[in-house]
Amino acid sequence: MRAIVQTGTRAVEVQQRDSPTPDDDEVLIEVHSAGLCGSDAHAYTYEDGYKWIPIPRIMGHEYAGTVVGTGNDVSSLSVGDHVVEEPIHSCGRCFQCKNGQANVCRNFSIRGMHRDGAYAEYVTVDESFVHYVPDSIPLEHAAITEPASIATRAVFTQSSVTPGDNVLVEGPGPIGVLTAVVADSIGANVLVSGLKPDTQYRLPLLDDIGIETINVENEPPEDRHESFTDSIGFDTVFDTTGHHTGVEMGVDHVRKGGEVVVIGLPGAPSELFVTPVVRGEITIETSYGSKWRNFEQAVRLMENDTIDVDALVDRSYSVDDPTAAFEGFLNAETCKPVFTFA
């Protein structure tokens, strides 16, 4: 089978690998579509915080496909089912798992990072980590279920956003765009901030779907923020930048008594000055990964067309030239590349 393999720092290539065989509790999935995520790009550049990842390995963790084989003990899925995988596998035994916090399992492993990933024509996975996808959702849409589930967790579970709230999303990458879409879907007033490189593709994408944006390198953010919030400040700021200054900027722009939800994973320490946080009684929350419920929420939002997937995904990149997709993503020339294997 074809597979996209990372062979070094900023080096990927298509290789032929043996197709896997499912164990008794696993299903064999023929991958249809697989998305490129910010964490995939961080792993591609092998930056600090990702150097524990083995090389070489098959990349990719967000995908959708069809069950084409089942192990002897599989009972919940059948050949022909359309499915997606929860790529963060929890152990089910540690304190966090038993305490309902499986997304921060002490012994977790991530497809495409700890082990071979989904940028391949076939994968096997334990049925307990698989979600059924209705036939009404095209597989090329279902491929973004995992990042959409991260957004649903951040907005529905980890924040207190309600209709009419003023929300700032820092960073128009895939998670930032999906977070903005989910917050907008419940009636929040959403503004997404980006930088000059984002004006080429990502900010216009948001403008096209009716979400307001600002290029903070071209327009003084304070003026826009004051007009957007009547000089009160944002009720909620989502930091999806993955930059160490993101949480600091969030504290600067949130109102007193508001909240900053950190989703991005900075590669360097923050220098947050805590005194204004305490005096303003600002809540700093974090959101990591997602849970079973968040996957189901993401599926339903796509099923009822709340998430306009066609407007968000970019299918112009070929499996045969994966480097172009990674470099295009890093240069902000695209937002959510999706490889098609089927």
Side-chain angles (χ1 to χ4, degrees):
M1 67 175 184
R2 288 183 303 164
I4 298 174
V5 178
Q6 182 171 13
T7 57
T9 300
R10 240 178 165 111
V12 292
E13 62 182 50
V14 179
Q15 296 182 0
Q16 288 292 323
R17 293 289 186 94
D18 292 336
S19 298
T21 301
D23 292 334
D24 287 343
D25 58 354
E26 293 182 328
V27 294
L28 175 66
I29 299 172
E30 181 179 24
V31 176
H32 182 279
S33 300
L36 193 159
C37 177
S39 58
D40 295 315
H42 292 313
Y44 169 73
T45 59
Y46 220 53
E47 65 181 53
D48 289 343
Y50 289 82
K51 291 184 177 178
W52 53 268
I53 297 175
I55 292 178
R57 83 193 177 292
I58 300 173
M59 302 186 74
H61 64 275
E62 52 183 63
Y63 71 99
T66 303
V67 175
V68 293
T70 61
N72 293 330
D73 297 335
V74 172
S75 59
S76 62
L77 296 165
S78 303
V79 170
D81 286 347
H82 289 178
V83 294
V84 294
E85 177 189 349
E86 291 185 42
I88 300 179
H89 290 193
S90 55
C91 71
R93 301 181 302 274
C94 70
F95 174 85
Q96 282 73 19
C97 286
K98 293 179 178 180
N99 199 44
Q101 299 168 306
N103 62 308
V104 289
C105 167
R106 295 179 65 181
N107 307 304
F108 72 95
S109 69
I110 305 175
R111 177 175 292 283
M113 294 189 179
H114 292 90
R115 60 190 187 282
D116 277 342
Y119 289 168
E121 293 178 306
Y122 296 94
V123 297
T124 56
V125 59
D126 187 305
E127 68 172 323
S128 64
F129 296 110
V130 176
H131 290 254
Y132 174 79
V133 175
D135 290 342
S136 59
I137 302 176
L139 285 173
E140 56 266 29
H141 290 192
I144 71 163
T145 302
E146 192 269 344
S149 76
I150 293 174
T152 62
R153 176 168 177 76
V155 176
F156 297 152
T157 305
Q158 298 300 96
S159 85
S160 58
V161 172
T162 59
D165 282 357
N166 293 318
V167 171
L168 173 65
V169 178
E170 298 175 336
I175 301 301
V177 168
L178 285 163
T179 299
V181 168
V182 173
D184 178 73
S185 76
I186 60 173
N189 306 311
V190 182
L191 178 68
V192 180
S193 63
L195 304 174
K196 183 176 180 180
D198 299 315
T199 61
Q200 179 178 355
Y201 184 99
R202 295 176 175 178
L203 294 181
L205 181 156
L206 286 156
D207 291 331
D208 288 344
I209 61 176
I211 294 177
E212 289 193 49
T213 64
I214 177 174
N215 168 12
V216 297
E217 291 184 310
N218 188 52
E219 179 181 348
E222 291 77 12
D223 295 345
R224 184 71 169 279
H225 294 174
E226 286 188 10
S227 64
F228 196 92
T229 69
D230 292 329
S231 301
I232 296 171
F234 291 92
D235 298 293
T236 301
V237 176
F238 293 98
D239 171 27
T240 73
T241 62
H243 194 272
H244 66 91
T245 61
V247 65
E248 300 165 36
M249 292 187 293
V251 168
D252 287 341
H253 302 314
V254 75
R255 65 171 173 81
K256 288 187 174 183
E259 64 183 358
V260 177
V261 182
V262 183
I263 311 171
L265 299 173
S270 171
E271 297 182 358
L272 178 65
F273 183 40
V274 177
T275 297
V277 177
V278 177
R279 285 179 173 164
E281 206 169 58
I282 295 167
T283 299
I284 297 182
E285 184 60 84
T286 58
S287 187
Y288 180 72
S290 55
K291 296 183 180 180
W292 181 91
R293 174 175 172 78
N294 306 125
F295 266 79
E296 293 297 313
Q297 290 169 330
V299 168
R300 293 172 191 178
L301 289 178
M302 287 187 286
E303 189 175 20
N304 64 22
D305 295 324
T306 298
I307 298 177
D308 183 358
V309 180
D310 281 326
L312 303 182
V313 301
D314 182 355
R315 302 186 186 90
S316 66
Y317 293 97
S318 169
V319 171
D320 297 321
D321 186 15
T323 300
F326 280 95
E327 293 297 330
F329 182 92
L330 290 168
N331 292 327
E333 298 166 359
T334 184
C335 182
K336 174 49 72 177
V338 173
F339 296 115
T340 300
F341 286 86

